[in-house]
Amino acid sequence: MGDPVVSPMTGIESTIKDELCMEIDPPFRENVATAEDWRKALNKVVPAVVVLRTNACRAFDTESAGASYATGFVVDKRRGIILTNRHVVKPGPVVAEAMFVNREEVPVYPMYRDPVHDFGFFRYDPSAIQFLQYEEIPLAPEIACVGLEIRVVGNDSGEKVSILAGTLARLDRDAPHYKKDGYNDFNTFYMQAASGTKGGSSGSPVIDWQGRAVALNAGSKSLSASAFFLPLEQVVRALRFLQKGRDSYINKWEAVFIPRGTLQVTFLHKGFDETRRLGLQSGTEHVLGYCMVRHASPPGETGLLVVDSVVPGGPAHSLLEPGDVLVRVNGEVVTQFLKLETLLDDNVENSIELQIERGGTSLTLNLVVQDLHSITPAYFLEVSGAVIHPLSYQQARNFRFPCGLVYVSEPGYMLFRAGVPRHAIIKKFAGQEISWLDELISVLSNLSRGARVPLEYVSYMDHHRRKSVLVTIDRHEWYAPPQIYTRDDSSGLWTAKPAIQSESFLSALGTNGTGESLKNPTVLLCGKPVHMEHIDQGNHQELTDDVTSMETASGDAFVETHSQDESDNGRKKRRIEEYTSPDCVVADGSVRESGDVKFEDPGTMENAGSRAYQGATAVTTNASLAECVIEPTLVMFEVHVPPSCMIDGVHSQHFLGTGVIVYHSQNMGLVAVDKNTVAISASDVMLSFAAFPIEIPGEVVFLHPVHNFALVAYNPSALGAGAAVVRAAELLPEPALRRGDSVYLVGLSRSLQATSRKSIVTNPCAALNISSADCPRYRAMNMEVIEIDTDFGSTFSGVLTDEQGRVQAIWGSFSTQLKYGCSSSEDHQFVRGIPVYAISQVLDKIISGARGPSLLINGVKRPMPLVRILEVELYPTLLSKARSFGLSDDWVQALVKKDPVRRQVLRVKGCLAGSKAQNLLEQGDMVLAVNKQPITCFYDIENACQALDKYDDENDGKLELTIFRQGCEVEIKVGTDVRDGNGTTRVINWCGCIVQDPHPAVRALGFLPDEGHGVYVARWCHGSPVHRYGLYALQWIVEINGKPTPDLDAFVKVTKEIEHGEFVRVRTVHLNGKPRVLTLKQDLHYWPTWELVFNSDTGMWCRKTIKALDCSGV
């Protein structure tokens, strides 16, 4: 895991170069080392080799966040220094532990990682190792030679100790190329041997028979036995600096500066024949040969250093070119990487003289050696889960960009939502050119929550064209406020501080302490400050900076800020002529206060625009009456789910779908959509209206606990002129559709074009039978859906209407999972018609005033409905089958009489765990009657549950069921459960795992742990403690340190008592019922405990820190 892998093609060398140096024989004594010699050497070496378990807590530079294991070895026992690879130490935040051969574990802290070469050092406390006798491994780079027999001792392929044998075959191999967009070593030779090392052996010592390290294992080829070792000359130099720096301080480590110089140039070693073809003069070659002898250069020198690439903006940019042959540096002949690097390291910030040959011409250049550490980023910005920092030398070399540009190492949520990829370079944000990270932070500090601003970036795959996207600043508190993390080599940690000062950040939030919107924030759009106005609706002020209107020809956004008069939505059966006539538009585009008209001119313009758009829609479409009637009611959904709250088993971060407006007034609009588009309430919803070109945010206000639909609210005043043409559809729940009825399937294409076709109902009451997914998520059950003969495919959603455009069903999307064998599965979706009777019932309760909890919608608190349900999963069985199970003829005739079409009886598939029906109903029970009335479909049970609400005091919410069980009729009273439409409203992140109460899809499995149920792990984060120790999703946490955690409150109480760095004993139960006990180490520095809670009083998701580490004391 800790090992990069070289692709077979990039590691292939020429036949000639493969044979270089093979004729050199090693010293005689090395060839006659006996097995006893090796045994003694290994007995000394093995105790000093450690297994390193590392957590890269954040993506940074060339590395992604994640957990891995690798190898290191002690090179200084007294000072506690461990040598390993750079890609193990990581360039970014890392938490690591070293395990010695006797399984003693100690924390280790990064103290140095080389900016270029693949080595780095960890430090540890030597006094922490109490039960192991070990010695440091000496470094002897001068011993390496072709033919030397070696052993690679390390954690190969996850084994604690592996010893692999080999023979050094080459000392002058080019540095291996691992990835085009990741870490690669350069400007050095590598050694090669056929030792067959694999993942986990990175950082292993390559030792000789005397136990001396002659090289450092770094990488290998995945399809061959070739392994690549880093020479140790630069390692020895760096170690001496660290040792000297440590001796300068008595009781603690301090950061040690190791001089490293660079010209931002990549050199390759080319043979003399190749350099001649590049233009090396024969006279120069003759002089070089003479100089080599005089200066005792390495015997058998075969070539020179040639410029391969030059980083733009570096010291050598426009001076050196690819193909230049390096001859001398400061008058000295340089043919080896080591000598060149020594000269550069000794002349940091000084000028050096280079003599080169370019196409047969000799040139002398003076260049200033740059400090390599100055172009190695040591800080990053974390905002909305994104990691942004200056472009490093490593990536600048890979991508051919200047160092220091604003580089997206991880897009997080906000940038991912906008379509910004990893490795992007931000060039412009909110109209401001961005060259440095400080400029990005400055612009960010002036933006309020919900603001939508343009961003331009370039990709390393396409250097020459900028791509433009629209970034939406998080409206909800999905993530912590922006923070700057800075590397501290003294502690080995990255310390965090607010990126935006508290005063400016308060204005950036866009809300005050009471949750009300602040007045008139200024947002930078297209390079100009735009003053955002607000509408006063009662005591609530609504932000409008998250509204995107149609752009004008000049590219400036025109934002409508005043309300429209409510249009006439009560009219039924409108004719097509009414929609083509502009006279039906009832709005003047102005706000009337005390008889005065404000914004008169803009209002007139908007009215003209709305009339023109409305007329154009009708004129240009050659559509049916149903399509023309329903088109103004259709809405395209784009839904994004933040990774910080991927709850309830939601299987994607991005959803698209079509919904229909079911209510539209001056104060509130409601859109109905399927739950495969809006799966959870913790999401950001953007609505695009077919009736008017505008995109505004929506808020999820109701998720039906059973039926596959959700209601999303929007603010009609945000529509501006569009409020005049947007309207609600007319719902037609009765009469129910029958087989053979004609319907119109109407929906929207991705380009917001209405599409329709006439279809025939083939099955109006098809019962769904969707099995549980591997990761339990919402699945429609106890539902009958409508099937038609022809549709537009599995990705097209919309509505089913009659000829007059009255909505009889939603054509919605359903999520399922196709399983192949025992170990593979694939997410799948299909579309079916959802009858609107349930939507109509919920809508009536919202409009008339329900008895449930209140929710703030557009500044007005509205009581939301509660739904009484029987939490039992049922499925239909044909009466012919039921008769075979022993059902009497009397009941068969009674059920046929009740429903001569379906001819079925409902059977129990299972009860939801924790429901009132659990332990009362059994699998296979046939439900014959409810309250003495025969039932044949799910709708009958729903009506019986709703009837209980009218007489709740008399029956205690229980249904009298007549069931058929094992040949006998049984009368039983079963309790019902009352659920709201909020979904999951509380999430806790502890040690990197997302914890919630078990959601209905989990409870539908019919099992909860006996130990007080426990809290459910929904997701986990890469690079977190739970990743490192294996506390993954799909299990319950039932105990922590022996204390039960039956619910979230108990869980918070227990975790609050755990301190930073403390090991915790966690007892879990998997979904399959298997218990497990594991331990993990809490890390509050990088992974504080926090929770997200939905506040119904403000209609916002709020983030609260439960326990964190004060970085000021680090």
Side-chain angles (χ1 to χ4, degrees), residues 457-735:
Y457 72 92
V458 292
S459 168
Y460 75 94
M461 300 293 291
D462 189 359
H463 284 69
H464 310 293
R465 290 182 295 181
R466 291 189 179 188
K467 297 178 176 63
S468 181
V469 296
L470 197 62
V471 173
T472 304
I473 308 300
D474 293 346
R475 299 180 69 243
H476 298 272
E477 297 178 4
W478 305 128
Y479 291 88
Q483 291 182 303
I484 288 287
Y485 280 82
T486 305
R487 191 180 72 210
D488 180 7
D489 287 327
S490 298
S491 63
L493 300 173
W494 291 62
T495 56
K497 66 178 182 180
I500 302 173
Q501 298 302 320
S502 57
E503 294 81 2
S504 60
F505 183 64
L506 181 63
S507 64
L509 285 176
T511 57
N512 59 21
T514 63
E516 296 178 347
S517 300
L518 294 176
K519 297 182 179 179
N520 304 336
T522 298
V523 181
L524 297 176
L525 288 172
C526 302
K528 296 178 285 188
V530 179
H531 190 66
M532 310 304 292
E533 298 288 344
H534 301 277
I535 307 302
D536 190 359
Q537 297 179 348
N539 294 325
H540 179 73
Q541 296 171 336
E542 181 68 18
L543 283 173
T544 61
D545 54 2
D546 51 3
V547 177
T548 301
S549 296
M550 193 172 186
E551 292 186 357
T552 63
S554 63
D556 295 333
F558 182 78
V559 182
E560 171 62 48
T561 61
H562 49 276
S563 63
Q564 303 288 331
D565 292 343
E566 184 178 4
S567 61
D568 183 11
N569 291 320
R571 192 177 305 171
K572 311 292 184 182
K573 298 184 180 180
R574 301 187 180 186
R575 301 299 299 170
I576 184 64
E577 291 81 5
E578 295 178 356
Y579 291 98
T580 60
S581 172
D583 296 334
C584 70
V585 180
V586 187
D588 61 0
S590 63
V591 177
R592 304 183 184 273
E593 295 181 0
S594 304
D596 297 331
V597 178
K598 298 184 179 180
F599 311 114
E600 184 175 12
D601 293 338
T604 304
M605 294 168 56
E606 288 161 6
N607 265 327
S610 65
R611 292 189 185 100
Y613 185 79
Q614 185 185 22
T617 302
V619 170
T620 57
T621 57
N622 183 17
S624 64
L625 171 63
E627 179 180 330
C628 295
V629 171
I630 207 65
E631 183 178 4
T633 72
L634 296 179
V635 177
M636 178 65 72
F637 278 74
E638 184 171 13
V639 183
H640 288 87
V641 180
S644 60
C645 43
M646 296 275 287
I647 55 177
D648 292 357
V650 62
H651 60 287
S652 178
Q653 286 184 242
H654 188 208
F655 299 92
L656 294 171
T658 302
V660 59
I661 301 172
V662 295
Y663 182 77
H664 181 79
S665 69
Q666 185 177 6
N667 298 320
M668 180 180 68
L670 292 176
V671 187
V673 68
D674 60 76
K675 289 176 66 174
N676 196 34
T677 301
V678 176
I680 59 176
S681 58
S683 55
D684 286 310
V685 181
M686 296 303 296
L687 308 176
S688 298
F689 292 78
F692 191 74
I694 192 171
E695 185 179 41
I696 64 174
E699 294 294 338
V700 183
V701 296
F702 188 83
L703 292 164
H704 199 282
V706 176
H707 289 283
N708 183 25
F709 77 88
L711 294 179
V712 176
Y714 63 89
N715 188 353
S717 65
L719 292 172
V725 291
V726 170
R727 68 176 190 85
E730 180 185 349
L731 302 184
L732 187 65
E734 297 292 342

Side-chain angles (χ1 to χ4, degrees), residues 382-440:
E382 185 175 47
V383 53
S384 188
V387 175
I388 307 172
H389 59 77
L391 184 66
S392 70
Y393 179 30
Q394 278 283 341
Q395 295 293 51
R397 174 180 170 271
N398 289 335
F399 303 156
R400 303 183 304 282
F401 286 121
C403 294
L405 298 179
V406 181
Y407 170 72
V408 179
S409 180
E410 175 64 43
Y413 173 58
M414 182 176 71
L415 296 183
F416 171 82
R417 178 183 175 187
V420 179
R422 194 180 177 205
H423 306 314
I425 304 293
I426 297 176
K427 305 296 289 185
K428 196 173 185 179
F429 187 46
Q432 301 292 321
E433 291 290 337
I434 302 296
S435 299
W436 309 102
L437 187 58
D438 290 343
E439 296 174 347
L440 177 68

Side-chain angles (χ1 to χ4, degrees), residues 287-298 328 331-333 339:
V287 173
L288 288 175
Y290 177 69
C291 292
M292 288 178 194
V293 177
R294 290 197 53 177
H295 296 286
S297 294
R328 291 184 176 87
E332 298 183 38
V333 175
K339 187 172 183 180

Side-chain angles (χ1 to χ4, degrees), residues 214-229:
V214 300
L216 179 67
N217 185 43
S220 64
K221 282 187 179 179
S222 58
L223 299 180
S224 71
S226 296
F228 311 122
F229 310 139

